[in-house]
Amino acid sequence: MGKSAKAFKRPTKKQKEIKKTTKAQAALTPAADKERPSSMARTSSGGVSKSKSIRKKAKVASVMTRASKAKKVTRLAWVKIEQRRMASEMNIAGLLVLTVLLFAVPGLAAPGVIDDIYDWVFSGAMLSEPRSSVAATSVGNIALFAGGRLQNGSYSDVVDIYNRKSKTWTVSRLSVARSEIGAGSVGNRYALFAGGFDSSFKPMTLVDVFDAQTGQWSQIQLNTPRAAPRLLDLGSVVAVVGGLSGDLQYLSKAVDYVDANLTVHSTSLPSEYPQLGLPIFDSTSGIGLYTAGYQNSRPGERFNDFEPSNQTTIFAAASASLVAGPLFPYPRWGSGGAAANGMFVVGGGHMFGDGSSEPLTTVTDRADVFHAQTQQWGQALTLSVPRDYPLVQTVGDYVVFLAGTQATKALDIFDSRTGTFIVNPRHTPALYTLRDDAAAVTVDGCLLMVAGGTVYQGRNATASVEIFDACKS
């Protein structure tokens, strides 16, 4: 297979029985405009009547229909105004003020995203070299896949860069080859690749910074060395949270904020125990969660005590402040999560048993949802299959779960407008290749990319890239 963006393609198995009456444009078209002219009403015998009475009734019906549509639009506008007012009065755990809490109106698609998942276009490409544990992020219309582990176990310094607009690939390099890198972006300009293990397996403070405007690289330093830090993109700042510390504590509580001027300042998690959790940000509500994962309940002692974590920390984007949030309701290892429209979805993972009365490892299909509006975890939902270490991304109004299972290549797709997973007998988007330890990223909120990882149950590293294009333009 060649190393180009057109390495392989397969057509979407979409169905054509979509009812066009559900489209927003059809809904906003006045009913009278869809019918024959009001002066051409059919009679019961199939003829045409031009009576003034019928013309008058049709005209009145048209005016009433337009007035009804206008009222609905006006009500939607007032809903948004009221939600903005409520947002200004809400706070996080009594301390953090939410500056934005405008939730999507049910039935309306996210701008620039193809709403019907059966119309998403699938294609494939290749990274410049096969590898797993790749760090991925996006900035502007660019996706970057950096570092990782090669087939022979050594680390890579390669950065594969994809431009969504030009549909072209270029290759660059990190300043130091490494793996277990944290990736994120800040200010819609800089892509950051933070920390990681060097060739001697030591955690690093190094951050490689790619400037999407100039195409140039620079370096900054974290205040605490870490591998596998979690980057929480908060818009004007990015929080580099936790990670593997390389000392007796093993897990880090450090938080380094990097702003749009690439200035670093530091704080620490308010949680009781150091934790390696999930970083999830929701641009609609303006808050981020650091939750789930696992913790060290005996930090600094000779023998660590690792267990699934129920700790949740809430980050406020506007003030770059953080407080402890409500406890994660079902702690487990290996879950994944993302957010859309103020709904944070954490799904999959596994629990350990004693190996006798219960299985040694049980993978779960449970999905928990945190609601930014109420600041609480809601009723649990169910994935179509149990998934362990799933890849999870936000595409428009959807939270998409990929991989993490050998049972299916299909995606689990959560619709934040209905608060449910999509269940439909028609074909759903699916991976072409089952893989583990891969990277996923969404570009411009509409182009979902899955890259690298291992295939054949972990035996071989792969360079393949799978692309789900939900972009309208």
Side-chain angles (χ1 to χ4, degrees):
M1 186 177 289
K3 299 178 181 179
S4 67
K6 296 183 179 180
F8 63 88
K9 287 178 178 284
R10 66 182 173 98
T12 308
K13 296 180 181 177
K14 59 184 180 180
Q15 303 294 323
K16 296 300 184 180
E17 64 266 19
I18 301 173
K19 294 182 179 180
K20 294 185 179 180
T21 54
T22 62
K23 300 295 183 180
Q25 291 180 348
L28 294 178
T29 301
D33 290 350
K34 298 177 185 177
E35 305 295 334
R36 298 175 180 84
S38 58
S39 62
M40 300 291 287
R42 287 192 180 275
T43 65
S44 59
S45 62
V48 177
S49 172
K50 297 183 179 180
S51 67
K52 293 183 179 180
S53 175
I54 293 179
R55 290 201 304 270
K56 183 175 180 180
K57 289 180 180 179
K59 184 175 181 180
V60 171
S62 176
V63 171
M64 292 179 67
T65 300
R66 293 175 185 273
S68 176
K69 300 295 184 183
K71 286 182 179 180
K72 289 181 180 179
V73 172
T74 302
R75 282 197 295 270
L76 289 177
W78 278 109
V79 167
K80 292 184 177 182
I81 292 172
E82 182 66 9
Q83 287 169 335
R84 291 192 183 97
R85 183 190 67 79
M86 292 173 62
S88 66
E89 298 175 356
M90 294 182 66
N91 60 74
I92 300 174
L95 295 175
L96 300 179
V97 177
L98 293 180
T99 58
V100 181
L101 192 52
L102 177 59
F103 293 91
V105 179
L108 299 182
V113 178
I114 296 173
D115 189 44
D116 194 329
I117 62 174
Y118 308 107
D119 288 333
W120 294 2
V121 178
F122 177 90
S123 63
M126 297 289 283
L127 299 176
S128 60
E129 63 180 8
R131 58 199 195 272
S132 59
S133 298
V134 180
T137 190
S138 67
V139 57
N141 54 30
I142 296 173
L144 302 96
F145 303 91
R149 189 177 295 108
L150 302 174
Q151 180 71 35
N152 62 9
S154 62
Y155 296 155
S156 172
D157 63 354
V158 168
V159 183
D160 290 291
I161 304 174
Y162 178 73
N163 187 303
R164 185 182 78 83
K165 291 296 186 182
S166 64
K167 293 181 170 52
T168 57
W169 289 87
T170 55
V171 177
S172 187
R173 295 190 178 277
L174 298 170
S175 61
V176 176
R178 58 197 195 274
S179 185
E180 311 304 328
I181 306 168
S185 62
V186 63
N188 201 34
R189 176 175 178 177
Y190 299 108
L192 279 62
F193 298 95
F197 284 124
D198 63 15
S199 58
S200 61
F201 208 65
K202 290 183 179 179
M204 305 178 69
T205 60
L206 175 65
V207 182
D208 281 307
V209 181
F210 177 79
D211 187 335
Q213 291 185 7
T214 65
Q216 301 298 310
W217 289 89
S218 60
Q219 288 76 42
I220 60 175
Q221 300 291 324
L222 301 175
N223 289 322
T224 304
R226 282 166 281 166
R230 306 323 200 198
L231 269 65
L232 192 55
D233 301 335
L234 300 172
S236 59
V237 297
V238 60
V240 184
V241 187
L244 307 178
S245 60
D247 54 21
L248 285 177
Q249 183 167 293
Y250 191 75
L251 302 180
S252 175
K253 295 179 68 173
V255 178
D256 284 322
Y257 285 106
V258 182
D259 62 25
N261 296 318
L262 301 181
T263 302
V264 180
H265 65 278
S266 302
T267 183
S268 62
L269 290 170
S271 52
E272 181 178 3
Y273 302 112
Q275 171 189 13
L276 191 67
L278 297 175
I280 310 173
F281 177 65
D282 174 56
S283 59
T284 303
S285 60
I287 66 171
L289 291 190
Y290 187 69
T291 188
Y294 67 97
Q295 66 190 34
N296 182 4
S297 300
R298 299 173 64 182
E301 297 186 24
R302 181 177 179 183
F303 298 103
N304 295 305
D305 182 11
F306 298 120
E307 59 185 9
S309 181
N310 63 0
Q311 299 175 132
T312 299
T313 301
I314 302 177
F315 289 73
S319 59
S321 55
L322 65 167
V323 297
L327 298 178
F328 183 58
Y330 190 73
R332 68 257 195 195
W333 308 77
S335 55
N341 297 323
M343 304 183 78
F344 296 74
V345 187
V346 179
H350 66 272
M351 297 292 293
F352 290 124
D354 57 19
S356 55
S357 62
E358 55 188 0
L360 187 60
T361 303
T362 301
V363 179
T364 181
D365 58 3
R366 176 174 172 136
D368 293 284
V369 182
F370 177 86
H371 300 266
Q373 192 171 25
T374 62
Q375 298 294 294
Q376 297 296 325
W377 293 95
Q379 184 175 0
L381 303 176
T382 304
L383 301 171
S384 64
V385 294
R387 297 178 186 266
D388 202 16
Y389 296 102
L391 301 171
V392 192
Q393 289 290 305
T394 302
V395 180
D397 295 310
Y398 301 114
V399 175
V400 181
F401 286 77
L402 314 92
T405 178
Q406 297 292 316
T408 180
K409 297 179 181 178
L411 314 184
D412 276 317
I413 301 177
F414 174 86
D415 190 338
S416 64
R417 296 163 298 179
T418 63
T420 61
F421 282 93
I422 295 175
V423 179
N424 197 302
R426 293 191 293 166
H427 167 76
T428 57
L431 290 171
Y432 186 82
T433 304
L434 291 173
R435 63 182 78 204
D436 297 307
D437 200 14
V441 68
T442 304
V443 187
D444 287 337
C446 60
L447 188 77
L448 172 58
M449 306 181 71
V450 181
T454 59
V455 294
Y456 305 119
Q457 297 183 338
R459 290 192 294 270
N460 294 332
T462 181
S464 72
V465 181
E466 301 187 41
I467 302 172
F468 299 87
D469 190 347
C471 304
K472 289 184 176 179
S473 60

